[in-house]
Amino acid sequence: MKRRIGWSFLALSVAVSCSGSPGVDVEESTRLNPAAPSTDVDAITPTATATVPPTSEPSDLVESSNPVDPASADLAGVGDSLYPTLGNGGYDVDHYSLAIDVDVDANVLDAAVTIEAVAVDELDVFHLDLQGLEVQEVTVDGVEASANRTGHELVVTPDRPIADAAPFTVVVHYRGMPEPIDDPAVPFDTIGWHQRETTVYVVSEPSGAMSWFPNNNHPADKATFDFEITTDSELTVVANGVLEGIKEVGGGQSTTTWRMDDPMTTYLAAVYIGDFELQESFTADGLRIRNYFPPAFADDLDDDFELTADVIDFFETLLGADYPFDEYGSIVLPFGIGFALENQTISVHGLDSTDPYTIAHEIMHQWAGNSITLGDWQDIWLNEGFATYLAYLYFEDRGLPSDIAPIGMYAALRGGSIGPAEVPVDELFSPSVYFRGGMALHALRVEVGDEIFRKILVAYYARFAGSAITTGEFLAVVDEVAGPDAVAVLDDWLYGPDLPAFPE
Ligand code: ARG
Ligand code: ZN
């Protein structure tokens, strides 16, 4: 039987909050709180909630059917262990400028995307990742290039080769209706650009970014972004970073500009268009929090998200590091999607996923996942294990009930788990990743004590903020700060089929 994916569970325990009862569901929280241990694991045992996933179309993500010339195969993928055809070799992107006209009713894009990149080899051909849509023109340094499509690879042959180490600018003009992507990691859903009712929303982890703009679709290639989104003036447009301005362009249309000045991975790039009400506040340190809520639910949601500033303060203290970006906020969709996603500076929550635990979890991802990013999808536990356990620490520290606690995570894993640092692609968002990954950190804390545990977190973040890493780099920090016995504890939790004993 297929496992139910981890984040759906996060939403499950709080399904009540969308029906007008915001806040912690005390019954659920008590069940999972260490203060009230219980053997009632049904609420969180993955198989207990499993449903048969719909059969999805075969994906070209995992086993590539692309007739790529073997001599240039590395151009069609960065060699990710789980997604060999995602991302592209041969260059690094510095910046994406996304100029997109959006007809929300028809869900049609008319776009010009400018990509500023640097070659890391001499390139007579290079790839971008783009699925669906109609490419009208590609230029490289202002000269028309030839472009061919094969699967999700957009193969670009510039008029003349690009020299090794040369900066170059690619402009891709394209239009059409984005098709959300079937990704083997998310069998219950599609990812990428979606339009529902009168709302446009993007949820791209892991591979969905290529459903709406051409890019180097791997987290190891981070770049800055700007967004110029033109649509109906009545609608609110939200994207990553800082809002630069809104300009009327005639015909009842406006262009809204957002800038993301800190490097960001493609799966965290997001655009929302619809009817949203802005609620602003500030943390004690003056960080601006701007939340976007559907007007009909704004008052309740304002209460739900009130903990945001306190959670940010807690994580800044825990990691000894400022919140990594210029602003933060959450956007809540006017319908449920069963999960939330930590887009850089603008986490998105389905209307059914606004419980305090999920809010804290997405905030933690701004450090773990967004600032420190994955060098390989196989290391997803570095995102999800950290967000799961460090969000729990907030509730523990503040003496608040939490939907997630070690006793509950462990009980869920008794139904079967594998090492979170070696999951196959269809377990990327499984309890093994969230709970066994979270438990690995709990076991480390029990082994070394609170003080050394915190030193490890501080050293890890200080060293790798802003970069893309793999599990080995985290283990090296643990070894330096706490020694080989601490690494051995993590090894048991991170690798192999056997669930270690509950740490005490
Ligand atoms: N990283 C997200 C979270 O923990 C999970 C996203 C799952 N991906 C998806 N497309 N549904 O909280
Ligand atoms: Zn997460």
Side-chain angles (χ1 to χ4, degrees):
M1 192 184 257
K2 272 258 175 208
R3 283 163 206 287
R4 175 93 186 189
I5 29 196
W7 44 260
S8 295
F9 148 69
L10 295 183
L12 265 188
S13 63
V14 292
V16 287
S17 66
C18 63
S19 53
S21 143
V24 178
D25 175 344
V26 176
E27 210 188 311
E28 284 290 344
S29 336
T30 323
R31 182 160 37 206
L32 298 178
N33 199 286
S38 158
T39 51
D40 178 10
V41 297
D42 276 1
I44 54 171
T45 301
T47 47
T49 52
T51 51
V52 180
T55 347
S56 50
E57 291 294 307
S59 161
D60 74 336
L61 295 176
V62 178
E63 250 164 302
S64 169
S65 53
N66 300 333
V68 170
D69 172 5
S72 62
D74 62 335
L75 293 177
V78 292
D80 188 272
S81 326
L82 299 181
Y83 291 95
T85 67
L86 281 190
N88 307 287
Y91 62 92
D92 270 326
V93 177
D94 286 336
H95 186 77
Y96 294 95
S97 283
L98 312 185
I100 309 181
D101 279 31
V102 185
D103 178 335
V104 171
D105 289 333
N107 192 27
V108 169
L109 315 186
D110 190 350
V113 163
T114 304
I115 302 171
E116 289 162 44
V118 177
V120 297
D121 208 345
E122 182 176 295
L123 296 175
D124 45 22
V125 58
F126 63 90
H127 291 213
L128 293 165
D129 297 316
L130 180 69
Q131 174 143 318
L133 300 160
E134 183 198 327
V135 173
Q136 294 160 315
E137 188 189 52
V138 179
T139 63
V140 176
D141 292 331
V143 180
E144 191 165 350
S146 94
N148 292 295
R149 313 290 300 271
T150 168
H152 67 255
E153 305 288 332
L154 170 61
V155 181
V156 179
T157 308
D159 180 53
R160 59 165 95 155
I162 301 164
D164 188 8
F168 63 102
T169 301
V170 188
V171 180
V172 181
H173 290 265
Y174 60 98
R175 70 182 313 281
M177 187 187 296
E179 295 161 30
I181 288 176
D182 284 308
D183 185 305
V186 191
F188 295 89
D189 227 330
T190 53
I191 51 172
W193 179 285
H194 294 75
Q195 181 250 36
R196 181 155 152 194
E197 295 154 21
T198 52
T199 303
V200 158
Y201 70 98
V202 172
V203 285
S204 288
E205 190 183 19
S207 66
M210 63 189 181
S211 72
W212 62 285
F213 70 102
N215 59 70
N216 190 19
N217 203 10
H218 192 277
D221 190 2
K222 294 166 70 142
T224 53
F225 279 72
D226 63 71
F227 303 82
E228 278 180 36
I229 308 294
T230 303
T231 194
D232 193 328
S233 301
E234 313 265 282
L235 301 172
T236 299
V237 177
V238 181
N240 312 83
V242 172
L243 175 63
E244 288 276 291
I246 304 173
K247 202 172 74 198
E248 293 285 339
V249 293
Q253 302 269 301
S254 309
T255 300
T256 304
T257 305
W258 287 80
R259 294 184 58 83
M260 181 69 243
D261 283 339
D262 294 295
M264 172 166 84
T265 77
T266 54
Y267 77 86
L268 297 167
V271 170
Y272 300 89
I273 307 175
D275 189 12
F276 295 102
E277 187 173 307
L278 171 63
Q279 308 254 11
E280 281 183 287
S281 58
F282 291 85
T283 65
D285 290 349
L287 176 77
R288 187 162 169 263
I289 299 171
R290 67 284 182 280
N291 293 330
Y292 289 88
F293 299 140
F297 304 94
D299 287 346
D300 280 355
L301 289 170
D302 206 27
D303 292 345
D304 288 357
F305 283 82
E306 213 185 309
L307 77 170
T308 302
D310 191 44
V311 171
I312 291 174
D313 287 347
F314 174 77
F315 290 146
E316 288 185 331
T317 307
L318 180 69
L319 297 176
D322 287 347
Y323 170 79
F325 310 115
D326 290 336
E327 296 187 354
Y328 183 68
S330 308
I331 185 161
V332 178
L333 300 174
F335 38 76
I337 53 171
F339 64 98
L341 176 66
E342 66 269 18
N343 303 311
Q344 191 154 304
T345 72
I346 185 76
S347 295
V348 60
H349 292 250
L351 191 57
D352 53 0
S353 309
T354 64
D355 60 290
Y357 177 79
T358 301
I359 293 169
H361 178 111
E362 305 314 329
I363 295 172
M364 182 67 241
H365 272 308
Q366 304 300 317
W367 285 263
N370 299 5
S371 173
I372 299 186
T373 56
L374 298 178
D376 193 298
W377 282 108
Q378 180 87 84
D379 298 290
I380 183 79
W381 85 275
L382 289 172
N383 289 7
E384 300 305 344
F386 274 73
T388 299
Y389 190 62
L390 273 49
Y392 160 71
L393 290 182
Y394 168 77
F395 294 92
E396 185 194 272
D397 183 79
R398 298 293 197 254
L400 297 169
S402 161
D403 290 332
I404 302 289
I407 190 100
M409 292 198 277
Y410 194 78
L413 293 168
R414 279 187 195 278
S417 73
I418 54 173
E422 52 187 13
V423 287
V425 69
D426 59 352
E427 293 220 35
L428 215 53
F429 300 111
S430 68
S432 292
V433 166
Y434 284 70
F435 296 162
R436 195 158 149 183
M439 283 302 297
L441 293 176
H442 182 62
L444 175 65
R445 174 188 176 198
V446 170
E447 167 76 16
V448 303
D450 282 6
E451 200 182 317
I452 304 284
F453 179 68
R454 194 172 158 257
K455 270 196 185 149
I456 292 169
L457 296 179
V458 168
Y460 170 63
Y461 188 74
R463 186 168 311 170
F464 296 118
S467 38
I469 64 154
T470 55
T471 298
E473 280 152 314
F474 172 63
L475 294 179
V477 172
V478 174
D479 193 30
E480 272 173 47
V481 178
D485 290 353
V487 175
V489 168
L490 282 172
D491 270 344
D492 282 351
W493 282 90
L494 295 179
Y495 300 98
D498 297 328
L499 183 66
F502 189 79
E504 23 213 351

